[in-house]
Amino acid sequence: MKSLPLMTAAAALALSLGACQKQKPEVIDTTGPDPMASQLANAAPVELPPSMIGSVTFRCKDNSLAYVDFFKGNTQANVKLKKTDTPTVLKADKDGDPLTGGGFTMTGNQDNIKLTKPDGTTLDCHH
């Protein structure tokens, strides 16, 4: 007697599993058209900033320090006169031109720089 309900339950389970295998699974598509697709297609290309090639602390002839981050292409550098300052971005149109920005002008490389400050004083600095 006890085996009859157990066999009935087993048969019901087998039928329900068999029924599941005969039906195709329901596919739910949650993707819709991108509302910004036309704006993205017509957007101007994005130019990534250059990668940093070096971060140098310079000692200047007046015994002050200058902190300079150099970027690939030699057309951009970040300059700070104190470690806690917000960097000033200096840029040039092409490699070899003086880098300028925020009143600063800088020439040189990762070994030696000449930095003219906004007040007009010039610092000769070396690594």
Side-chain angles (χ1 to χ4, degrees):
M1 279 300 229
K2 290 185 180 180
S3 63
L4 185 59
L6 186 57
M7 288 189 335
T8 305
L13 180 62
L15 283 175
S16 67
L17 289 176
C20 287
Q21 292 175 358
K22 291 180 185 174
Q23 295 176 357
K24 289 185 178 180
E26 182 180 354
V27 177
I28 299 173
D29 185 11
T30 59
T31 60
D34 185 353
M36 294 186 65
S38 64
Q39 292 173 358
L40 293 172
N42 296 324
V46 175
E47 184 178 333
L48 296 175
S51 58
M52 187 184 301
I53 58 172
S55 186
V56 181
T57 301
F58 289 95
R59 174 69 65 183
C60 304
K61 286 187 179 180
D62 68 353
N63 211 27
S64 65
L65 297 175
Y67 305 91
V68 182
D69 299 325
F70 291 91
F71 293 86
K72 186 175 182 179
N74 299 319
T75 59
Q76 182 175 330
N78 291 342
V79 174
K80 299 187 296 185
L81 297 179
K82 294 180 184 172
K83 200 167 195 166
T84 57
D85 285 350
T86 300
T88 300
V89 179
L90 309 180
K91 292 189 175 191
D93 290 333
K94 62 182 175 37
D95 185 7
D97 286 352
L99 299 164
T100 60
F104 289 95
T105 301
M106 186 181 83
T107 58
N109 55 38
Q110 292 186 41
D111 294 321
N112 298 293
I113 61 166
K114 183 174 272 194
L115 180 66
T116 304
K117 299 189 311 183
D119 66 7
T121 60
T122 299
L123 301 172
D124 288 316
C125 312
H126 65 277
H127 176 66

